[in-house]
Amino acid sequence: MKLCTIFIIVWFTFGFSLTMFAQKVERVEPLCWWTGMRTELQLMLYGQNLKDAGVKVLQPGMTVKTVHNAESPNYLFVDMAVEKAGNYTIEITQGHKKTKVNYEIHNRRPGSESRVGLTLADVIYLIMPDRFANGDTSNDIVKGSTQILDRNGLESRHGGDIQGIIDHLDYMADLGVTALWSTPLLEDNQFYHQYAISDYYRIDPHFGTNELYCEMVAEAHRKGLKIVQDIVPNHCGSGHWWMKDLPFTDWVNHFDTFTQSNYALQAYSDTHASKVDRMLCGHGWFVESLPDMNLSNPYTLKYLTQMAVWWIEYANLDALRVDTYFYMGYEGAQWTKSIRNEYPNMEFVGEVWGNDPGIISYWLGDRPKHDGFASHLPKAMDFPLERSLVMGLSNDNEAWGGSTKAIYNTIAQDFLYEDAMNSLVVFADNHDIDRIYNMLGKDIRKVKMAMSFIITTRGLPQIYYGTELLFADDPRGGAHKCRMDFPGGWEGDTINLFKPEYRNAQQQEMFDHVRKLLHFRKSTPVVYNGKLMHYVPKNNIYTYFRYNDSECVMVLLNGASQSQTIGWNQFEERLQGMKAGYEILSGQQITKGEKIEIESNSSLVIYFKTTK
């Protein structure tokens, strides 16, 4: 597809001088649009003194419906009717001053609206692009940027970029993941992590260009990888260009003095909560550098909706990961519903950071909850299960909430969800918490157990980059300690963990464990679409099955500090008709009824098929 371009052409009539009547439109967003969209196009024009200007399109095929002034005189919001693809000239007139803006409408990709997004067959690989790989050193230093390049700094830029991602797509495909989630790649003129967006329509030049991003998506698709874009509709950065001249005073949420969110996620689902607590949760700023977008302003909501749709359509994305989803408040449901209206089959995931399944379930699905609210969010990160997984594998003291009983207890609350199997993304660690290797005492046995569980339990797995190689937190600590460089991603690195010859024995052992599980999952659909049955742990062994009418996968997690022998009788309900199988991690043949031993802090994954 031809890339979107905008050319601003200023013209003059009646002999007026440049200095007296020059008029400039600095920005037109969205940058382009498509035919056949359910989302109606509303252009945001930004330039000097646009208030009350006339707007028309000079060619047939796109027409102006309504022009809206903003509170700032430097904005116009223009509703457009789109009939056919083409290059159009938009004329903005104020008195004798006329400005022409070229705008492109493209034909939509066939089947674009039917894209499916994330399914249970997928496994997501999460990376932080600045810390993953540097494939283009020419963008390490960007002219005009105040951000320094320092690989030794925990909070500075390290130089990873989109080309670095492209260069290592084969590594991900070989590992066996099927979807790539990169933390944001849009322009952030304040931080390396990119969660303080300063331009919603521009890839950060430290990473590359919009065009290179599209190339990355296309190349990933060729290698069988979906692309999940991390999107941030809840807040922008304080360095965003519009913060010096907001379209409306309530474009972002304002208070008399700086007011931070109370982070009280439960205030929305709590039947006894006060209105002020709900308001502070959703309208307070996340931190001082992240102004909170006000989605109750219809123009803000429309802008953020179009922005998400634009990136999906422009880059041919497969899904979104929505940052700090619940901080959008009740208004976020309309944003979500609008995205799903455009892409009815596209499944995407929201970050709802709560440690109680009841809270997570409140923010999921189309079913109205006790107060009539429905968020329409298709999937959410399963933070409660992550906490239970760490607690359950860290120690075997059930009396203190440990042992694999903690995992069982969380899964047992799946009745709170509309559809736990299809709506939850399961994970052991991510970019905001400690590395699982550290949380489990740097015990490779326990990390392998965690990965066996994540890849075979209900839901859609997400793996944080480097977990497959036992990445550990930076000993200097702090919020950035889990975001280390991937050794070998930079020219001159003495160790290249993308290649097996540089890995130590434990790193290769961990890699092989994860890779074997992922490829087994990919080739054995019952692992991800089979029903789930689990058993109350005995002696700290948690056992569960993924099954259908003809086959099953039996998973055992021994969280105890000693080896144990497995008894078969208790599982006959699930193993009836099954006789022989094999343990996929070791390749050992298993016959039902024969003595089988599971080592301490280890897992078994056994595949059975019905005997005909």
Side-chain angles (χ1 to χ4, degrees), residues 165-173 180 216 219-220 223 225:
I165 298 173
I166 294 172
D167 292 345
H168 295 93
L169 291 172
D170 283 335
Y171 170 84
M172 302 177 216
L180 170 62
M216 183 198 81
E219 185 62 21
K223 296 180 183 298
L225 297 169

Side-chain angles (χ1 to χ4, degrees), residues 32 36 65 178 183 245 363 404 438 534 544-545 552 558 567 573:
C32 63
K65 295 169 62 178
T178 64
T183 53
D245 183 15
W363 292 93
T404 55
N438 290 85
H534 67 166
Y544 59 93
F545 291 82
C552 74
N558 181 12
E573 177 184 3

Side-chain angles (χ1 to χ4, degrees), residues 347-360:
E347 296 271 309
F348 56 93
V349 58
E351 180 195 32
V352 182
W353 196 335
N355 293 328
D356 188 313
I359 291 177
I360 307 301

